[in-house]
Amino acid sequence: MDIDPKKIKPKRNVVLVELVKPPDVTKGGIHIPETAQDRQKLEHRVGKVLAVGPGKKFADDPSDARIPTDTKKGDIVLFDPPYAAAVRGHPDLFLVEDDAILATVTE
């Protein structure tokens, strides 16, 4: 079953992240070999937030009060691959809990 990424709506404090591909060539024109690119895949990854869940519910609270996530749609984030779930059929899309996002990248 092929999932349309536009129809994915994260729950709780989960965010949908699309990988930002690192460049193959540096600004100075140096080619980055595949072995170095493979190493980057094992380390922290950079992605753009496409969708954000509504946040965690407070424990034992009868109302629908929630703790909002720290990230927002459009943020560029750094996350740890072991804590991300890949979306089937879309190798560049991941569902990541907000707590597993290590940093937000500012320009």
Side-chain angles (χ1 to χ4, degrees):
M1 177 176 155
D2 194 25
I3 299 170
D4 182 4
K6 294 177 184 176
K7 294 183 179 180
I8 297 174
K9 184 177 178 183
K11 301 286 186 182
R12 299 183 318 273
N13 66 330
V14 176
V15 297
L16 178 64
V17 178
E18 180 179 34
L19 284 181
V20 175
K21 301 239 184 217
D24 293 345
V25 180
T26 65
K27 290 180 183 178
I30 298 171
H31 177 74
I32 301 171
E34 285 185 35
T35 54
Q37 291 175 12
D38 288 342
R39 184 167 180 237
Q40 287 177 343
K41 291 178 185 177
L42 299 174
E43 295 175 355
H44 306 306
R45 293 191 181 186
V46 177
K48 182 177 181 180
V49 176
L50 301 180
V52 179
K56 278 185 184 178
K57 279 186 161 188
F58 284 106
D60 300 327
D61 188 354
S63 70
D64 200 22
R66 295 181 179 268
I67 303 168
T69 60
D70 292 333
T71 53
K72 294 168 185 52
K73 185 176 179 181
D75 283 353
I76 302 296
V77 296
L78 185 69
F79 66 97
D80 215 355
Y83 299 103
V87 176
R88 183 181 295 174
H90 299 279
D92 293 340
L93 292 180
F94 292 88
L95 291 167
V96 184
E97 283 197 35
D98 191 49
D99 297 339
I101 293 177
L102 305 172
T104 302
V105 180
T106 57
E107 293 182 24

